[in-house]
């Protein structure tokens, strides 16, 4: 793994929304790694990096808004020649209930505009995703409003638990032991 991208929208207005769980996860990882983010204009985002196993690991929070997340991902990955299979995108997932977290390689977008833009700009679906469940409002016409609002207290606790559990398996993901990471995440 050479690039970890947390998806979200920049600014205080969106900070606590369901759509920003990717940002939350990445901030917690940065704390764990004891690194800080700084603005990188050429990569359209906030970046942090650290050496792990003789490789530079980049953390990226795109500042382009969700629908244009691929601009930042493509800029950084092309500059450092990071292939899609070395990329992990952490994002909110409507199709999973709060408290659920799943790791997978490739797949569709589930209507997620951030993933759509990344796939479009990288011209591939074959990158790793860490999907953090936020639940679904039950009506597709309510999705935009739902993701752009804060979760209820009980949902927030479940989401925080999912983030914590996934950070525990981070060493397995970082080392490329995806099978073991998936087993730990997907087994209760």
């Amino acid at each position: 793994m050479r690039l970890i991208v947390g998806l979200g929208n920049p600014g205080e207005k969106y900070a606590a929304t369901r759509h920003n769980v990717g940002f939350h996860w990445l901030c917690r990882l940065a704390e764990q790694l004891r690194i800080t983010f700084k603005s990188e204009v050429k990569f359209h985002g906030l970046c942090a990096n650290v050496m792990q196993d003789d490789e530079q690991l980049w953390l990226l929070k795109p500042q382009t808004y969700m629908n244009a997340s691929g601009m930042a991902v493509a800029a950084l990955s092309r500059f450092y020649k990071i292939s899609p299979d070395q990329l992990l995108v952490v994002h909110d997932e409507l199709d999973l209930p709060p408290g659920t977290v799943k790791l997978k390689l490739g797949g569709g977008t589930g209507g997620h505009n951030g993933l759509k833009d990344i796939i479009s700009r990288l011209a591939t679906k074959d990158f790793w995703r860490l999907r953090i469940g936020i639940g679904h409002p039950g009506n597709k016409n309510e999705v935009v409003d739902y993701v752009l609002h804060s979760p209820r207290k009980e949902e927030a606790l479940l989401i925080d638990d999912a983030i914590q559990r996934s950070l525990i398996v981070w060493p397995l993901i970082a080392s490329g032991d995806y099978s073991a990471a998936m087993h730990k995440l997907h087994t209760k």
Side-chain angles (χ1 to χ4, degrees):
M1 203 54 63
R2 293 189 50 214
L3 173 58
I4 315 301
V5 179
L7 296 186
N9 284 308
E12 283 301 311
K13 177 180 177 182
Y14 300 105
T17 65
R18 291 176 179 96
H19 227 9
N20 277 35
V21 298
F23 277 10
H24 298 301
W25 190 93
L26 207 60
C27 287
R28 299 257 300 267
L29 178 62
E31 286 173 17
Q32 194 173 300
L33 297 174
R34 295 185 175 98
I35 56 177
T36 57
F37 290 94
K38 64 180 181 176
S39 180
E40 292 282 353
V41 176
K42 69 182 172 185
F43 300 135
H44 315 283
L46 300 175
C47 300
N49 64 16
V50 64
M51 290 300 287
Q52 282 203 320
D53 300 324
D54 298 324
E55 291 270 0
Q56 194 169 42
L57 173 68
W58 283 93
L59 278 60
L60 171 65
K61 295 193 312 184
Q63 298 296 288
T64 55
Y65 289 97
M66 188 65 77
N67 296 357
S69 297
M71 181 187 308
V73 175
L76 196 145
S77 61
R78 287 187 180 122
F79 188 86
Y80 288 107
K81 297 176 177 42
I82 298 170
S83 64
D85 65 327
Q86 297 172 311
L87 164 66
L88 173 68
V89 176
V90 184
H91 65 90
D92 57 300
E93 179 60 63
L94 285 165
D95 294 333
L96 296 175
T100 306
V101 60
K102 301 280 185 181
L103 176 68
K104 74 174 191 171
L105 175 63
T109 65
H112 196 291
N113 289 328
L115 291 176
K116 285 180 187 176
D117 194 58
I118 292 168
I119 290 168
S120 171
R121 292 178 191 259
L122 295 182
T124 185
K125 297 177 182 181
D126 297 328
F127 52 87
W128 287 93
R129 297 112 186 266
L130 186 67
R131 305 160 56 220
I132 300 172
I134 61 167
H136 196 286
N139 181 334
K140 68 178 183 174
N141 296 325
E142 297 173 10
V143 166
V144 172
D145 189 54
Y146 180 78
V147 299
L148 295 178
H149 280 86
S150 299
R152 294 187 318 266
K153 185 177 181 178
E154 61 275 11
E155 292 172 335
L157 291 171
L158 291 168
I159 291 168
D160 187 64
D161 180 64
I163 290 171
Q164 186 58 37
R165 282 185 291 111
S166 61
L167 286 168
I168 289 169
V169 302
W170 163 249
L172 294 171
I173 296 170
S175 70
D177 194 348
Y178 305 116
S179 294
M182 287 187 277
H183 180 72
K184 282 191 174 220
L185 281 176
H186 304 171
T187 307
K188 289 199 177 191

